[in-house]
Amino acid sequence: MLLRTDRISLRYGDGDTLTYAVRSISIEVPATGFFGIMGPSGSGKSSLLYLMSGLKQPTEGSVYYDNRCISTMTNRDLAMLRRNEFGFVFQQPFLLNYLTARENMLTAVNQQSGANTAADEIMSKLSILQLAERAPAHLSGGEKQRIAVARAMINRPRVIFADEPTAALDRTNGLAVMELLKSYRDEGLIIVVTHDEAMLAGADNIYHMEDGQLHHIARPAA
Ligand SMILES: Nc1ncnc2c1ncn2[C@@H]1O[C@H](COP(=O)(O)OP(=O)(O)OP(=O)(O)O)[C@@H](O)[C@H]1O
Ligand SMILES: [Mg+2]
């Protein structure tokens, strides 16, 4: 298993304000495939994703990536791991307005040599190369999110973490963005948080969260 959590919890506040965003979750995911995390608002989906990707550290328990415990890594090692091996997509695309789509992709590169070619290859594979020279102001919401997905792939990460990547889009654009993410499932691991189960069609596994806990695990038909 590439990514594993051992009874991780994330606690906020103390005394009367004590809240568990995540309660003692143990989960294992392999090196490739497409996995979904579902659940109602406030159930802890984003918190779990941020713990698994080292954006947040658990208050209890440990996260293991490639057999390394990332919960005890130095900030420097963790930052390198995130930059070199992880890609992120959020609800908002976070593109810089004064850069073209391609230049926005290049802001994420960890290795300058060959980066232009790599960016164009990814855009071409995702059928968005025609957007390369455009500024974000001249892109639709769906197109911007396609660029954000391409940017998440620029360093050929082993894992792509996506938190509600389709929440700001209509159904058609949402499904199109999911197709781009899914196209990476043989190359790496894709973990998508969403409240819309339709976006997880064809997932290898869907984890349901409720009140900080993994409620049950559904294995959808392929
Ligand atoms: N910084 C914080 N301080 C205190 N409580 C927090 C903080 N961040 C999150 N929480 C609480 O942790 C719980 C889980 O939040 P989280 O954002 O992980 O849920 P979510 O499932 O992603 O919700 P949504 O679908 O609305 O994005 C919620 O009860 C939330 O109020
Ligand atoms: Mg969330």
Side-chain angles (χ1 to χ4, degrees):
M1 290 290 153
L2 181 67
L3 191 56
R4 181 165 72 81
T5 74
D6 181 23
R7 288 164 294 170
I8 50 168
S9 295
L10 180 65
R11 195 171 6 101
Y12 288 111
D14 50 26
D16 288 349
T17 66
L18 182 70
T19 335
Y20 274 90
V22 168
R23 297 169 195 256
S24 194
I25 288 186
S26 298
I27 194 174
E28 286 189 343
V29 261
T32 57
F34 163 46
F35 294 82
I37 301 173
M38 294 256 324
S41 184
S43 60
K45 306 180 296 295
S46 297
S47 299
L48 177 61
L49 195 78
Y50 295 171
L51 293 173
M52 292 177 87
S53 56
L55 289 174
K56 273 187 182 290
Q57 293 290 13
T59 40
E60 288 120 66
S62 310
V63 179
Y64 297 89
Y65 168 76
D66 208 9
N67 293 319
R68 282 175 286 169
C69 178
I70 68 171
S71 311
T72 51
M73 263 183 196
T74 62
N75 283 337
R76 190 168 175 276
D77 286 348
L78 193 54
M80 275 194 11
L81 179 74
R82 284 200 307 258
R83 189 161 179 89
N84 294 327
E85 310 210 18
F86 295 168
F88 291 91
V89 182
F90 299 98
Q91 181 172 339
Q92 301 299 330
F94 298 117
L95 301 179
L96 297 172
N97 280 323
Y98 50 87
L99 299 180
T100 64
R102 182 192 285 110
E103 287 165 346
N104 267 285
M105 275 185 77
L106 294 174
T107 60
V109 298
N110 59 7
Q111 191 183 326
Q112 208 56 48
S113 78
N116 275 305
T117 315
D120 284 10
E121 273 171 13
I122 292 165
M123 284 189 285
S124 173
K125 184 165 174 243
L126 302 182
S127 307
I128 54 172
L129 189 56
Q130 72 281 7
L131 306 177
E133 311 291 336
R134 298 236 216 125
H138 296 120
L139 294 172
S140 71
E143 288 169 340
K144 282 186 226 183
Q145 196 64 317
R146 288 170 173 81
I147 300 298
V149 169
R151 181 183 54 196
M153 294 177 182
I154 187 77
N155 298 320
R156 294 274 157 222
R158 291 180 72 188
V159 191
I160 296 178
F161 296 95
D163 190 6
E164 304 274 7
T166 65
L169 306 176
D170 62 28
R171 178 55 56 96
T172 309
N173 275 297
L175 289 171
V177 162
M178 289 308 303
E179 285 307 314
L180 301 191
L181 283 167
K182 281 196 235 175
S183 70
Y184 203 73
R185 70 193 297 173
D186 295 328
E187 218 170 315
L189 171 64
I190 319 294
I191 305 181
V192 177
V193 162
T194 177
H195 56 264
D196 183 357
E197 189 149 22
M199 296 300 153
L200 299 178
D204 292 300
N205 215 334
I206 300 175
Y207 300 91
H208 284 260
M209 283 196 80
E210 214 168 287
D211 198 20
Q213 290 174 304
L214 274 193
H215 197 52
H216 73 274
I217 300 172
R219 276 177 199 279

